[in-house]
């Protein structure tokens, strides 16, 4: 089932994949990493001027990583703002997705957290570095195949 935004994107020849609707009726679209930045600019111009949240998750052990963006189209005097969920999947080996910091500044710390926890590189992010883990931390703690270091072995080594 195609939603309103998906139909508009098709009409304008913008490549994407409709993933249907979530439990709240919010349309979910899949965008290829190489198309994400230009589509983000188009969505902003179309009226999706508020990035409500960005998060990321590991789809399956050894599988793809996903970066998820929740956008809202806010217009003056509108009682029910339009929302859309965008999913951008990246390969585990070299997960690179264009940063949308220059479109929505509020994504700054959220993309940094996704980088820190899952190792997704957000190209052209102005300050992509760890935000929760120490800079010396090795690995990506929220990946499903992550093996945590043994705390007691680390303590014994000192």
């Amino acid at each position: 089932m195609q939603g309103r935004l998906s139909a508009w994107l098709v009409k304008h020849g913008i490549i994407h994949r409709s993933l249907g609707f979530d439990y709240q009726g919010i349309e979910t679209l899949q965008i290829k990493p190489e198309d994400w930045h230009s589509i983000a600019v188009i969505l902003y111009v179309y009226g999706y001027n508020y990035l409500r949240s960005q998060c990321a998750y590991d789809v399956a052990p050894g599988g793809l990583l996903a970066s998820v963006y929740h956008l809202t189209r806010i217009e003056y005097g509108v009682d029910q703002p339009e929302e859309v969920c965008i999913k951008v999947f990246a390969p585990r080996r070299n997960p690179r997705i264009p940063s949308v910091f220059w479109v929505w500044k509020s994504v700054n710390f959220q993309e940094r957290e996704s980088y820190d926890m899952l190792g997704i590189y957000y190209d052209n992010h102005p300050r992509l570095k760890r935000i929760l883990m120490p800079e010396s931390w090795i690995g990506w703690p929220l990946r499903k195949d992550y093996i945590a270091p043994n705390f007691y072995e680390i303590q014994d080594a000192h």
Side-chain angles (χ1 to χ4, degrees), residues 3-142:
R4 197 166 111 176
L5 179 60
S6 184
W8 186 87
L9 293 172
V10 167
K11 179 181 171 186
H12 290 86
I14 300 169
I15 298 171
H16 69 287
R17 180 175 172 221
S18 177
L19 298 176
F21 298 86
D22 71 7
Y23 71 98
Q24 293 178 313
I26 296 171
E27 187 174 13
T28 303
L29 305 176
Q30 179 182 344
I31 307 293
K32 292 181 183 176
E34 59 269 22
D35 298 334
W36 174 222
H37 189 267
S38 59
I39 290 176
V41 171
I42 291 166
L43 291 175
Y44 185 87
V45 171
Y46 183 67
Y48 287 92
N49 53 3
Y50 179 66
L51 179 121
R52 194 174 48 156
S53 68
Q54 183 277 333
C55 64
Y57 66 94
D58 189 346
V59 176
L64 296 171
L65 301 174
S67 188
V68 182
Y69 300 81
H70 293 272
L71 307 174
T72 304
R73 184 176 184 191
I74 301 174
E75 294 180 23
Y76 181 72
V78 174
D79 291 340
Q80 294 294 323
E82 289 179 44
E83 296 184 29
V84 67
C85 176
I86 304 293
K87 292 188 177 188
V88 183
F89 295 96
R92 179 178 228 81
R93 283 201 123 165
N94 186 22
R96 301 191 85 84
I97 295 173
S99 174
V100 290
F101 173 83
W102 303 105
V103 180
W104 298 283
K105 299 281 192 274
S106 60
V107 82
N108 182 13
F109 290 116
Q110 297 170 55
E111 284 183 343
R112 283 182 60 191
E113 182 180 357
S114 295
Y115 162 73
D116 192 11
M117 296 288 102
L118 289 151
I120 299 172
Y121 293 89
Y122 292 92
D123 294 329
N124 297 317
H125 189 285
R127 193 171 180 210
L128 193 62
K129 59 182 241 168
R130 291 207 183 258
I131 192 169
L132 300 171
M133 305 303 288
E135 283 294 326
S136 60
W137 195 266
I138 297 171
W140 315 109
L142 290 184

